[in-house]
Amino acid sequence: MKKIEVIVIFLSLVIVCLAFFGEFFATHDPNLINLSNKFAPISKEHFLGTDHLGRDEFSRLMYGASLSLKSVFITLLLILVIGVGIGSFSGFIGGRTDMIIMRFCDVFLSFPTVVLALFLVGILGIGLVNVIIAIALTHWAWYARIVRSIVISLKNKEYVLISKVSGASPFVNFKKNMLKPIFSQIIVLATLDIGHIMLHISGLSFLGLGVKAPTPEWGIMISDAKEFIFTNSQLILYPGLAIFFVVCVFNILGDILRDRFDLNTEFKSHECH
């Protein structure tokens, strides 16, 4: 394994840890207001200084990491459940049912995801839960199409047909012969999509459609700090760099996983036969 791969995997694990334990690294109450100490510089007491309300910026960044990253992972899990489930069912059943489902997917794929997400949030209402649902509903169709194409390419393979003739149930046949190839494709797409989903959630929060102030979340932190971009630009810089860092790490991780799976394609092909 190359050194860059080890570094990226380590950083990915750090990000995942922050998603579940970020709050424990906070040194202050993230919503504690102290107007007498606003815009305080970096110090031992405030690692990243304070914002316009005297709130500790480092603590808000840690709590924001937990909320933002958990939202991304929950959204991605929801997308995978819907997309893989529908795509597998559509490809396995085939026929008219498959055609109807794919036309339904085309409706979702015909709109830009941001526009469709804004439309769905407008219908569902403002709030983080509704933002997660809206983003999941705008992304599942991509996964459904990819999984469907994988299932269709595999279901007529000789070893799949033999398993079917031998009496294996559709679920067992799918789990034994199709789940691994689907996983290898979907894990790469999902990893690359983490940054995309992060930008969606942060962007909608920035617009005031997701998390509401004073809840610390990276998108809302950027929104709160936009008025001070020229006088105290660090307030935008910290959450902006955090989002940039997460997007970059998972994009690079996705590229690494894609290369790894491509290198092993020939081996897996021989193994299956």
Side-chain angles (χ1 to χ4, degrees):
M1 188 177 289
K2 297 178 181 178
K3 187 176 181 180
I4 183 64
E5 295 177 351
V6 175
I7 294 173
V8 170
I9 292 173
F10 172 75
L11 292 176
S12 303
L13 293 175
V14 170
I15 292 172
V16 172
C17 288
L18 285 177
F20 295 98
F21 306 108
E23 299 172 0
F24 294 100
F25 294 99
T27 56
H28 295 74
D29 181 345
N31 295 322
L32 181 63
I33 296 175
N34 184 5
L35 294 177
S36 63
N37 196 36
K38 63 181 182 179
F39 300 126
I42 295 174
S43 63
K44 291 182 179 180
E45 184 180 359
H46 301 288
F47 297 151
L48 296 177
T50 62
D51 64 5
H52 60 292
L53 295 177
R55 297 172 298 189
D56 183 70
E57 192 71 6
F58 177 78
S59 298
R60 289 183 62 77
L61 204 64
M62 291 297 101
Y63 271 82
S66 181
L67 181 59
S68 298
L69 294 170
K70 280 181 183 175
S71 301
V72 170
F73 295 144
I74 292 171
T75 304
L76 186 59
L77 179 62
L78 190 59
I79 292 170
L80 291 176
V81 170
I82 298 172
V84 173
I86 293 177
S88 301
F89 175 79
S90 181
F92 217 89
I93 296 298
R96 186 182 295 273
T97 303
D98 175 49
M99 183 185 69
I100 293 173
I101 292 175
M102 286 303 102
R103 297 297 75 77
F104 192 64
C105 284
D106 290 340
V107 173
F108 282 88
L109 294 174
S110 62
F111 295 97
T113 53
V114 176
V115 175
L116 187 57
L118 287 169
F119 172 73
L120 291 174
V121 171
I123 294 176
L124 297 172
I126 297 172
L128 181 60
V129 173
N130 290 336
V131 164
I132 290 173
I133 294 172
I135 294 174
L137 292 177
T138 61
H139 284 71
W140 70 269
W142 295 99
Y143 290 81
R145 269 202 171 279
I146 291 172
V147 172
R148 170 189 175 267
S149 65
I150 296 172
V151 171
I152 289 176
S153 67
L154 292 175
K155 71 177 184 178
N156 292 321
K157 294 288 186 180
E158 187 176 310
Y159 56 91
V160 177
L161 295 174
I162 291 173
S163 179
K164 183 178 180 181
V165 172
S166 66
S169 66
F171 176 76
V172 172
N173 198 0
F174 174 81
K175 181 180 179 181
K176 181 180 178 181
N177 298 309
M178 298 184 185
L179 192 58
K180 190 174 181 181
I182 289 173
F183 176 79
S184 64
Q185 294 284 337
I186 291 302
I187 193 66
V188 174
L189 180 61
T191 305
L192 290 169
D193 222 15
I194 287 176
H196 187 63
I197 296 170
M198 167 68 76
L199 292 174
H200 268 303
I201 293 176
S202 299
L204 291 173
S205 293
F206 176 83
L207 295 174
L209 301 176
V211 176
K212 286 291 186 181
T215 304
E217 191 272 338
W218 291 346
I220 200 69
M221 287 176 69
I222 294 176
S223 179
D224 286 344
K226 64 181 182 294
E227 298 178 9
F228 311 100
I229 187 171
F230 296 112
T231 56
N232 292 275
S233 57
Q234 76 277 6
L235 298 182
I236 282 184
L237 183 65
Y238 298 143
L241 284 177
I243 294 172
F244 175 78
F245 176 74
V246 171
V247 172
C248 285
V249 167
F250 280 103
N251 279 350
I252 296 172
L253 180 62
D255 289 335
I256 291 172
L257 292 176
R258 182 178 57 196
D259 293 339
R260 283 285 175 176
F261 283 125
D262 287 343
L263 287 173
N264 293 323
T265 300
E266 184 177 351
F267 172 78
K268 290 180 181 179
S269 178
H270 287 302
E271 187 182 46
C272 289
H273 290 288

